[in-house]
Each structure stands twice: as C-alpha cells, then as structure tokens.
Amino acid sequence: MTKNFFYLFMVLGLALVATSCDSDNECDTTCPAGQVQLLNCSCATDANTITPHPCPDLTCPAGQGAVIAGNTCSCQALASSVDPCDATNCPEGFICDGGNCIVDPAVTQIIDKSGEISADETWTAGNVYILKDRVTVTNGAKLTIEAGVVVKGEAGTGANASALLVARGSQLMAMGTEAAPIIFTSIADEIMPGQIVSPNLTPDVNGLWGGVIVLGNAPISAANESDEDVSEVQIEGIPTSDANGLYGGTDAADNSGTITYISIRHGGSNIGEGNEINGLTLGGVGSGTTINNVEIVANQDDGIEWFGGDASIDGALVWNCGDDGLDTDQDWNGSCTNFLVVTPVGGSGFELDGPEGSTQRGFHTFDNGALFAGGEVDHLVDWDGSTNAAITNLYIFGLPEGYPTDFPTPIESFGGDGSGTSSAWEVTLPAGAGLDILGDAAGITTEVAVGSQTKGPRASDFPWTWANQSGALGSIGL
C-alpha cells in the first residue's frame, strides 16, 4: 500500500456519526460494523479493523480503544467503559440496573401483618408488607420502616378496614429518602419497591383501604356531649370499641416518631355512616414528632387532618383527595410549610376549625403554599368564627371559568377569630373575574399570571412524588 493510498484509505474510512447520549452515559444508538462508540456517544472507525494496522505500536489503557481521528490514530474513551451504576448507591434490598435502583428479586419478600405490634419491630427495605386488617403499634413499641418499603392494605370497610394505627406512647419511624420513599397503598396496586408511578392504578382511584393514623399525648381542645372539657377522645375512623384509638393529653412536646418521604395512596375506607379514614391523621401528636415530605394521593376523605396537638409538617403534597385537602380541628398549635394542594374533589382546599372546648393555646399557621382549585372544589378556604389559624404566602390558581357562579363563597369567614394574621396571597383569576370574588381576602391578595407567582413551592421541590414524576404538576404550571 502506497503512502498516499494509505492516507486516502484512512480519510475515507473515517466515520464519525453523531448520536444522542443519556445522562447516565448510556447511548441511544448502536454503531455499525467496524466502528466503536466513544464516551460522547459518537461513532468512530475502529483502527483494529484496518489491515495492516495503521498504528501497530499504539497501546491504549483499559477503557479506551485505538481509533482513527483525522490522519492519525489516538486512544479514545469508549462509552462501554462507563458503568452508570458506578455513581449509584442503592439502599439495602435493591440492585442497580442501568443506573436505576430496582428491587432485588433475590431478597424481596411479601410479608403479611395483622393485629398488634407490641414490641420494637423493623420492616426491611426492599420488602412488601401486607396490612391484613387494622395493624396497631401499641404498648410503647417502636415500628421502624426502612427506605423503599412498600406497604399495601387489604380491601375492607367498617371495623375490618385495613390501616396502620400508632397508639399513644408508641412511635412510627418511617424514614424514607428522596431516592427511595416509603409507599403506603392498596393491595390492588401492582407497584413494587423501586417504582414510584403505579403500573396499574390511576391517581384518582380512592377508598381501597384505610390510611395512616398517628396518635399522641399532646393537648387538645374538646368537649363531651354535655359541653364539658375532656382531655382525650376517640379518633375518627377507628371504632370506639378499640381503646387504642384514644388521643390527647398534657405533653405538648410528645414524640410519636419520625415520618419522612412517605406517599399514602388510594385510601379512605368508610367505616360506617360517612366516617372515612384520612390519608394521614394526626391526633394529639406532639412537637417532638418530626414530619416532612409527605404525599397523599387519591384519598376518599381528607388529605391530612390534625386534631389538636403541636406537630408540624414541612413539605406536604395532597393530590386528588375526595374531600378537604388540609383539615384542622381542636386547637391544633403547629405549622404546615411548603405545601401543595391539587384538585380537591368536592371538598375545600382548607377546612379550618378551631377549639371545641374552652381551651385555646394560640393558633396554627400555613406558610408558603399553593392551591390548584380545579373544577370540583368547594371553598378555597373555609374558616369558621372560632378558627385560630393564619395563612401566609399562599398562591391560588386553577379556578374554573365562571367561578364562583355555581359555587359557594370562595373564602368563608375570612380570618376566623382573628388570633392569627393572614397575609401575602397571590391569585391567578379566571377570565372575567376580579379580586372581589375573594371577599375580605381581596385586601391581602395580588393578581398574578401563571408562572409569575412568587409564593408557594414548585414541582421541582417534590421530585420524588408520584404527582411530579407523572407530569401532573408540570401540566398545571408548577
């Protein structure tokens, strides 16, 4: 082969084909015969396919190949040398597949749970736990649920409704992570550890099981049928025959555990006479309890409801609940910050009630939140005359066209008893509407366009949720 012909051969043999490259260094296309794929996902002529070898003295290190670039050979990093799992740390019970954590089929177990948990117990990452009935953590026990666990409730109504109940004096340590949240769902859901979006249930199917109920010894304001103050009452959703359903006490700093990165779905079973279980119920839960990053999806009753106590939540998303998004009762004295309420169906965005007894210790607050009303919302915010609550830095949008012609007053009893001061609201109004539809709340509200709001979190603040990963939050302008 002459020198000129050799160079001509190399020029003609050079083939660099642009391809796309995924963020985990996996390439979308396969290179043709005689070429290798480089780290940037382009294809280049493999020098080893040319006879005689154009650069026989070139030795490339591991992970690189000899390729023709220009008129010379060089060593280039190959795409196949990068394992996307090198930078992926999966929790126990999971394995890495192409950079994603998936459940390890070799260790996954399906474990039935029933009755009472009266001694410390751990539910292990990667497993699925089935609530056969109402499972109660009692006797001062601590239930630890590791990141990535999936808990599924059996179908049932009335006294047979499945639920996870944490009684006074016991603790729930449900410690999910952004990469591996804990999912509470129905036995009808085919989801497995490592998945976020249900493979078979839509995010509007509700009432398939109960929910999660946490009870504590913090103060409440309640009264009996004779209007006498009482320090403890039975939580709604649990039959009165079950003494583990009592909540309330004198310890404002009571600690019922840690709840973080959990998603509760398809719950709200009816136990009789219109008495459903909320997605997350907090009865007399004290300020020593840590609660953050909670998602409620398609609960038949309220999303989150507080009954007295002092527990606060940072990071809450309630999507497609069948009644009120966020509900308060009995002199709750805590805060809810960085929250989203999306499309409550037939209920209000906020149902805010005050003390039911003579005790009032202060007021509760909601700060930095957003409410997407949707077409089936009732009130946007429903105070009553004795409500001790304040809402600050709230963005309201998604009001249906013509609102509120066919709806009740959007803001009921604005300000409640006046003990808390609401301020700094923003709203995107439907065509033809003015701030006057908000009544007395108009004075603290500024009209803004979708996307220009300065109040409330965005979709990117909830990357781990079903609502985000399904695209639902992006579709409404968050």
Side-chain angles (χ1 to χ4, degrees):
M1 181 181 294
T2 66
K3 181 177 181 181
N4 289 339
F5 182 79
F6 173 66
Y7 285 134
L8 177 61
F9 178 85
M10 287 197 296
V11 172
L12 292 176
L14 179 61
L16 294 174
V17 181
T19 63
S20 64
C21 186
D22 294 335
S23 60
D24 60 3
N25 293 315
E26 290 185 336
C27 301
D28 292 337
T29 61
T30 301
C31 293
Q35 297 183 16
V36 291
Q37 199 159 65
L38 304 183
L39 185 59
N40 66 2
C41 293
S42 65
C43 295
T45 299
D46 183 356
N48 294 312
T49 64
I50 300 174
T51 303
H53 200 291
C55 39
D57 297 327
L58 181 64
T59 302
C60 294
Q64 296 189 15
V67 300
I68 298 175
N71 292 330
T72 60
C73 288
S74 65
C75 293
Q76 299 284 340
L78 304 179
S80 60
S81 68
V82 178
D83 185 349
C85 289
D86 289 344
T88 304
N89 295 316
C90 295
E92 184 179 352
F94 294 79
I95 58 175
C96 183
D97 180 18
N100 299 312
C101 292
I102 64 171
V103 63
D104 185 350
V107 299
T108 299
Q109 300 181 62
I110 310 297
I111 302 169
D112 290 344
K113 302 302 299 184
S114 182
E116 293 189 353
I117 296 174
S118 57
D120 291 357
E121 184 170 309
T122 297
W123 293 0
T124 307
N127 290 337
V128 176
Y129 291 80
I130 309 298
L131 305 179
K132 304 297 289 186
D133 49 27
R134 185 167 64 256
V135 175
T136 303
V137 186
T138 187
N139 194 41
K142 179 189 297 183
L143 173 61
T144 299
I145 305 179
E146 295 182 346
V149 164
V150 172
V151 181
K152 299 185 179 185
E154 288 275 13
T157 59
N160 296 319
S162 63
L164 179 62
L165 169 64
V166 181
R168 288 187 297 185
S170 297
Q171 291 187 325
L172 173 62
M173 308 300 289
M175 296 182 289
T177 65
E178 186 172 300
I182 297 166
I183 296 175
F184 293 86
T185 186
S186 161
I187 190 69
D189 194 346
E190 296 174 2
I191 197 168
M192 292 294 287
Q195 297 177 308
I196 299 297
V197 176
S198 172
N200 67 307
L201 294 182
T202 57
D204 57 357
V205 176
N206 64 34
L208 301 184
W209 69 292
V212 178
I213 302 169
V214 182
L215 307 178
N217 292 293
I220 64 174
S221 180
N224 60 22
E225 294 180 355
S226 302
D227 290 330
E228 300 169 329
D229 285 348
V230 293
S231 61
E232 64 177 23
V233 293
Q234 185 80 2
I235 196 68
E236 67 177 32
I238 299 300
T240 56
S241 58
D242 186 351
N244 288 314
L246 288 169
Y247 67 96
T250 59
D251 184 3
D254 191 32
N255 183 354
S256 294
T258 297
I259 300 171
T260 183
Y261 289 105
I262 69 169
S263 181
I264 304 172
R265 309 169 175 187
H266 312 295
S269 287
N270 193 315
I271 71 162
E273 298 181 357
N275 189 7
E276 297 93 4
I277 299 175
N278 305 301
L280 176 61
T281 300
L282 302 171
V285 177
S287 62
T289 308
T290 298
I291 310 175
N292 57 58
N293 296 298
V294 175
E295 178 187 42
I296 311 294
V297 181
N299 198 76
Q300 186 165 293
D301 197 34
D302 302 329
I304 303 173
E305 185 162 5
W306 293 261
F307 293 86
D310 297 74
S312 296
I313 297 180
D314 182 17
L317 195 163
V318 178
W319 180 30
N320 290 345
C321 62
D323 197 0
D324 307 312
L326 301 170
D327 196 337
T328 66
D329 304 273
Q330 298 175 349
D331 192 39
W332 171 48
N333 272 247
S335 64
C336 180
T337 55
N338 305 312
F339 62 88
L340 298 176
V341 177
V342 181
T343 57
V345 181
S348 300
F350 301 80
E351 175 74 28
L352 308 180
D353 294 317
E356 296 176 7
S358 63
T359 300
Q360 179 174 333
R361 298 177 295 134
F363 63 92
H364 53 271
T365 61
F366 293 90
D367 182 61
N368 194 46
L371 165 62
F372 183 88
E376 298 181 68
V377 70
D378 189 1
H379 296 84
L380 300 177
V381 187
D382 187 4
W383 275 276
D384 64 32
S386 64
T387 301
N388 50 339
I391 303 176
T392 56
N393 300 300
L394 174 68
Y395 173 49
I396 301 171
F397 67 128
L399 296 168
E401 186 175 351
Y403 188 87
T405 302
D406 298 322
F407 295 80
T409 306
I411 309 294
E412 184 71 37
S413 302
F414 173 68
D417 70 353
S419 59
T421 302
S422 298
S423 63
W425 291 14
E426 295 177 338
V427 64
T428 299
L429 293 169
L435 286 175
D436 60 298
I437 69 170
L438 300 181
D440 292 339
I444 64 168
T445 306
T446 302
E447 184 178 0
V448 297
V450 173
S452 64
Q453 73 271 19
T454 63
K455 313 302 180 185
R458 300 289 185 134
S460 58
D461 295 312
F462 296 89
W464 59 277
T465 61
W466 185 7
N468 183 307
Q469 296 199 16
S470 68
L473 298 184
S475 69
I476 60 173
L478 285 178

